[in-house]
Amino acid sequence: MENKLFDSINIKTIEKLAGIVSANELSEITIKVGDCDLTIKGKKPQSAPAVAPFAMGMSMPAAIQTSAAVQPESAVSESRETVEGNVVKSPIVGTFYQAPSPDKPPFVKVGDTVKKGDVIMIIESMKLMNEVQSEFDGVVERILVTDGQAVEFDQPIMIIK
């Protein structure tokens, strides 16, 4: 029965649902497909940390909420004041990696020229490494997050001018 559910709901859909749960601070969302159910649980009330059936994907919201409350606001306000350019945002909830592996150089550094379609980062989500391609041509002006940092859906990651 479980395979039937996952045949009709792909990983990207699950990641988007997890992002919705996190962004809207929902306790959980349940999707029914036929006689199969998929429940994605968000953060618990203040008394306990988030725990859910998908250990990696669902244990992140508490950390994401903490960093999101502090960093994106300051990063966005700084970008409004001093930086003009295109903001690259995280397409999914996950962990930001600037290189394909710890022993490899980063995809891009501040000052590098990128073209539309170049791989500029990896976002790991639910144990899947998702390569993110640039939507813009230009020069990397600022990287707003650190390697290994948890990121939220639509969180500003990089500025390309």
Side-chain angles (χ1 to χ4, degrees):
M1 296 277 179
E2 195 171 328
N3 291 339
K4 185 178 180 183
L5 175 64
F6 287 106
D7 287 343
S8 59
I9 298 178
N10 63 31
I11 293 298
K12 290 208 181 275
T13 302
I14 294 170
E15 290 170 349
K16 285 180 183 178
L17 290 170
I20 291 168
V21 169
S22 177
N24 294 299
E25 298 182 19
L26 301 174
S27 59
E28 70 180 54
I29 188 170
T30 300
I31 305 299
K32 287 185 159 228
V33 178
D35 57 351
C36 298
D37 295 46
L38 170 69
T39 300
I40 299 173
K41 295 185 179 185
K43 77 174 193 173
K44 299 259 183 192
Q46 296 284 5
S47 61
V51 179
F54 301 100
M56 180 167 191
M58 293 300 119
S59 63
M60 290 192 287
I64 291 169
Q65 302 245 337
T66 304
S67 65
V70 178
Q71 187 167 3
E73 290 178 20
S74 63
V76 170
S77 64
E78 284 177 22
S79 66
R80 284 187 199 136
E81 294 171 12
T82 60
V83 177
E84 292 180 11
N86 298 305
V87 178
V88 177
K89 297 180 179 181
S90 177
I92 55 177
V93 173
T95 304
F96 166 81
Y97 293 109
Q98 60 186 14
S101 67
D103 59 333
K104 301 283 184 188
F107 290 108
V108 295
K109 300 181 297 283
V110 172
D112 286 355
T113 301
V114 295
K115 294 185 179 188
K116 186 176 182 175
D118 288 351
V119 175
I120 55 175
M121 70 182 97
I122 289 178
I123 303 291
E124 177 187 8
S125 182
M126 298 179 69
K127 298 184 182 180
L128 293 176
M129 299 297 185
N130 300 283
E131 290 185 344
V132 178
Q133 298 176 344
S134 177
E135 297 175 13
F136 314 104
D137 291 334
V139 176
V140 177
E141 186 162 307
R142 186 176 292 162
I143 299 174
L144 304 171
V145 295
T146 58
D147 195 46
Q149 179 178 336
V151 294
E152 252 187 79
F153 170 74
D154 217 25
Q155 177 180 341
I157 303 288
M158 191 176 297
I159 298 174
I160 297 176
K161 190 170 183 182

